[in-house]
Structures are given as C-alpha cells and as structure tokens.
Amino acid sequence: MSQADLLDQEPVFQLKGSMLAITVMELAHNDLERLDRQLDEKVAQAPNFFQNTPLVMALDKLPEGEPPLDLPALLEICRRHGLRSLAIRAQREEHIAAADALDIPVLPPSGARERPIDPVDPEAKKKVEKPAEPPKPEVQPTKVITTPVRGGQQVYAPGGDLVVLAAVSPGAELLADGNIHVYGPMRGRALAGIKGDTKARIFCRQLAAELVSVAGQYKVADDLRRDPLWGQQVQVSLSGDVLNITRL
C-alpha cells in the first residue's frame, strides 16, 4: 500500500460528546416588539453575559390561538442582542417548517426523549469491539482567592470550585466549572457550573450581585432585587430549569 493510500485512510475528524452551557429562551408570547424591548433591558443589566451567547429558542410553550410567528424576525432580534441561535425547540408543524426553510436544527419539545444518533453502519458495528470507558474528567483543586476582586477582573476556576475570601466589586466576574463560595459581599457576576454541571451551587455571605448563573440558567439584578433574600446570606441552586435562592 502506498503512502498516499495510507494518508487517505487516516481519519480527518472525530465525533465527541460535550457538556456545554447553552441558554434556552422559552417564548411565552408571540409579541416581538415587547420581546425586543425587554431584551434591551436585560442586556443593559449584564452586557457581557449576552455577548455571542449560544441560544436554543424554545417555541413549544407558545399558547394556541396567537398570530403566526415570524421566525426570521424573531432570530434577527436575538442576533441584534448578542444571542446566537443554534437551534429551535418546537412541536408545531408550522414552526418546524419555518426552521427547515432557514436550515435551522429542530430539537424535541421539553420533556421529550431524544433519539440517539449512531453514525456507524450496522454491519460494520458488529465487527467493532466494545469501546473502552471514557476517561473520567480531571478534577482540579479548589481555587482560593484571598484578596478583593475588583471591577473589570475575571476569575475562573477550571475543573473545580472557586472560593473568594473577600468582597467582589460591581463589574467583576467569577466563573467556575464547579461551585462558587464568596465569604464577603458579592456585587459582581457569578457563574457556576459553566460547562453544564447542574449540581453546582453559589454560596455567598451577602447577595448583591449583578447576575447569578448555574449551568446556563441565570437571574439578573432586577430579578434578584425583587427576591426577599436580597442582601442576605444565601445559596443559589438549580432545580430543572428553575434557579432557586434559599437562605443559608
């Protein structure tokens, strides 16, 4: 076999699984003007969070009887605000047809079981030995910050937890693949479980944040200030798609 033949048989791609934090926007009403206005307000509260944010647009919760949805206009509004639509979640035929016309992937409705995709030919699959178990993700030691985190600073704890033993100023950003602990006032942004860990949590001595997020689900300052635990010692956790704030 020639060198050219050997090179031709060398694989040029690999299919890999991933746990990425992707924001899901569930559309409750077909009111694009109001959506545009409300997105303006959200972006103003946390502009960095909305920069090139990957998005799944969920249409399966839209009520019956509303006017036909203008999907291209909807996606354009999201794009203007920094939300990059990767797919839609839908079950109505008109929504699926509109997505197909735009060559956008369609995901099953919320709660539906996804069908696994197996690209291997059935006959070839019989000859393939059982694959070895994938390696366990490497767990990094907890990252501990002992000095205040100033506005404009970003601190990231890859593969583990982040512990801050001082105050976090407005405009600062904390990111962790695991949990976030702040033993002082937390006034910046805190994003835990950024690679999709839905069991991650945020703990703080004083909730005064601009934004909190767990595995892509988030609340911004306006939502947080309405919470009765604003300014108190709390933990933030995720239950399904709902971000819960409870007293410590």
Side-chain angles (χ1 to χ4, degrees):
M1 184 177 291
S2 69
Q3 185 175 357
D5 291 333
L6 291 173
L7 183 61
D8 187 61
Q9 291 182 5
E10 184 180 351
V12 296
F13 73 93
Q14 289 182 323
L15 297 177
K16 294 186 176 181
S18 177
M19 283 293 292
L20 298 176
I22 296 178
T23 299
V24 177
M25 179 188 289
E26 287 189 349
L27 206 61
H29 296 286
N30 180 11
D31 188 338
L32 300 189
E33 183 178 346
R34 188 152 50 114
L35 172 68
D36 192 17
R37 186 171 63 252
Q38 292 179 0
L39 275 176
D40 263 332
E41 297 170 357
K42 291 290 185 183
V43 172
Q45 295 164 12
N48 291 339
F49 187 80
F50 288 89
Q51 290 182 2
N52 294 318
T53 300
L55 178 76
V56 170
M57 175 59 65
L59 307 178
D60 52 325
K61 300 299 176 65
L62 280 172
E64 298 284 352
E66 293 199 347
L69 177 68
D70 187 345
L71 185 59
L74 170 61
L75 300 183
E76 172 60 21
I77 289 172
C78 294
R79 188 195 64 79
R80 289 203 312 269
H81 292 291
L83 300 169
R84 306 299 178 183
S85 301
L86 304 179
I88 71 164
R89 199 176 73 196
Q91 59 183 343
R92 297 184 198 171
E93 292 183 2
E94 62 268 25
H95 295 160
I96 296 173
D100 288 341
L102 297 172
D103 197 24
I104 295 177
V106 179
L107 303 180
S110 178
R113 182 171 296 176
E114 297 182 4
R115 184 181 64 183
I117 298 175
D118 187 355
V120 180
D121 177 81
E123 291 301 319
K125 190 174 182 180
K126 296 177 183 178
K127 304 175 184 178
V128 178
E129 296 181 358
K130 183 179 179 180
E133 292 185 4
K136 294 182 179 180
E138 183 180 355
V139 178
Q140 300 290 337
T142 298
K143 186 169 187 175
V144 179
I145 304 298
T146 59
T147 56
V149 184
R150 306 299 183 187
Q153 282 187 279
Q154 183 185 82
V155 181
Y156 174 39
D161 292 357
L162 173 62
V163 176
V164 180
L165 302 177
V168 179
S169 298
E173 189 168 66
L174 309 178
L175 303 101
D177 292 344
N179 305 306
I180 294 176
H181 305 255
V182 179
Y183 293 93
M186 187 174 72
R187 300 188 181 92
R189 295 180 291 274
L191 296 85
I194 64 171
K195 290 187 177 177
D197 183 1
T198 57
K199 295 182 179 179
R201 299 191 177 203
I202 300 170
F203 306 87
C204 67
R205 285 276 179 88
Q206 181 182 342
L207 177 64
E210 298 167 350
L211 178 146
V212 293
S213 171
V214 176
Q217 302 292 334
Y218 65 91
K219 288 186 177 182
V220 294
D222 278 0
D223 304 318
L224 297 172
R225 288 192 186 97
R226 289 193 290 266
D227 195 286
L229 295 179
W230 173 259
Q232 299 188 38
Q233 183 171 286
V234 302
Q235 66 170 315
V236 183
S237 60
L238 192 61
S239 177
D241 292 338
V242 179
L243 211 57
N244 297 312
I245 299 176
T246 55
R247 190 187 307 273
L248 275 177

